[in-house]
Amino acid sequence: MKKMFLVTTCMVIAFSLFCGCDRKKEVGNFKVIEPSMILTKEDAKALTGVSFGECTVKEEPAVGLKLCVYDREGTFLQIGLMQAAFMDKKSREGGNTPESIYKSTKSAFKDAAKIEGVGDDNFLSPPGLHILKGSYYMTVSVGLMSKDKEKLKAAGMKAVENLSKYSAK
C-alpha cells in the first residue's frame, strides 16, 4: 500500500515533467534545504504521537524532488520538497521551476479543495496537501490517503513555519 502511495506521488509530479533527465545535479547559488529539516522526526512525533526513526529519503532530480518518509507501527507521514537546488541542470535550463510544476499539477485538479492559511497557495489531491511557499513546492501526507484536514493543516503549517526559518535570507 505504501508503494502505491509513493507511485501516486511520483505520477502526479511526473506528468508535469516534459523534459529529459540529466542525473548530474548542480546546486550553484541555490540554498539547499532538506525535507527532514522541514518536518523533523520530533515534528512527526508531535503530529502523530508515534516515535519515528530517521526518515527514508527518495529523490527525483529531474523535478527537484526529495521525499522524506516516516513510517512506523502503521503510522505514515511524508513530506515532499521540490526546490531548484535539487533540480538537475537540464530541467532548470528547460524552464522548469517548482512554481511552474506546482501550477501545472494544480491545473489538473481544478476543483480541488483548499485549506485556508497554509502557504502562499495550496490544494488537496493525492497524496495529500500540496503547498506553494515562495519558490518551494511541498507535499504533506499524514497516513495513506488521509482525508483528515485538521492533521493535514497542522502538518502543513509546521512545514511552512520550518521552511520559512531555513529559507529566510
Side-chain angles (χ1 to χ4, degrees):
M1 193 118 151
K2 264 190 301 182
K3 287 185 181 183
M4 183 177 78
F5 187 70
L6 291 174
V7 168
T8 302
T9 301
C10 291
M11 285 177 44
V12 167
I13 292 168
F15 88 88
S16 64
L17 180 65
F18 39 85
C19 66
C21 295
D22 176 3
R23 288 290 186 204
K24 184 179 176 193
K25 288 195 304 186
E26 291 186 10
V27 176
N29 294 326
F30 297 106
K31 189 176 215 175
V32 175
I33 301 171
E34 295 293 330
S36 60
M37 297 162 65
I38 303 304
L39 285 180
T40 65
K41 65 182 178 181
E42 291 79 14
D43 294 331
K45 180 179 181 180
L47 291 163
T48 65
V50 174
S51 293
F52 294 99
E54 297 301 318
C55 67
T56 302
V57 177
K58 310 222 184 243
E59 292 185 59
E60 185 49 61
V63 292
L65 172 69
K66 276 193 183 180
L67 293 172
C68 174
V69 181
Y70 297 100
D71 184 17
R72 184 170 184 193
E73 300 170 4
T75 302
F76 179 85
L77 184 131
Q78 174 181 287
I79 175 75
L81 178 61
M82 198 177 295
Q83 63 181 301
F86 293 156
M87 286 184 144
D88 61 30
K89 183 178 179 180
K90 189 172 185 177
S91 294
R92 286 195 308 267
E93 288 175 350
N96 281 334
T97 65
E99 300 98 315
S100 69
I101 295 170
Y102 173 87
K103 289 175 184 174
S104 177
T105 304
K106 184 177 180 182
S107 71
F109 299 95
K110 294 184 188 319
D111 297 327
K114 183 175 181 162
I115 297 178
E116 290 303 318
V118 181
D120 298 333
D121 192 23
N122 70 71
F123 65 96
L124 290 165
S125 74
L129 179 60
H130 297 248
I131 305 166
L132 181 66
K133 177 66 178 163
S135 62
Y136 299 89
Y137 176 9
M138 295 182 286
T139 57
V140 178
S141 306
V142 181
L144 295 173
M145 302 306 287
S146 175
K147 298 199 187 288
D148 186 338
K149 285 186 181 180
E150 289 306 312
K151 274 190 180 180
L152 283 170
K153 181 175 184 173
M157 294 293 285
K158 187 62 172 174
V160 168
E161 174 188 329
N162 288 342
L163 176 66
S164 294
K165 282 192 264 185
Y166 292 110
S167 63
K169 297 186 182 205

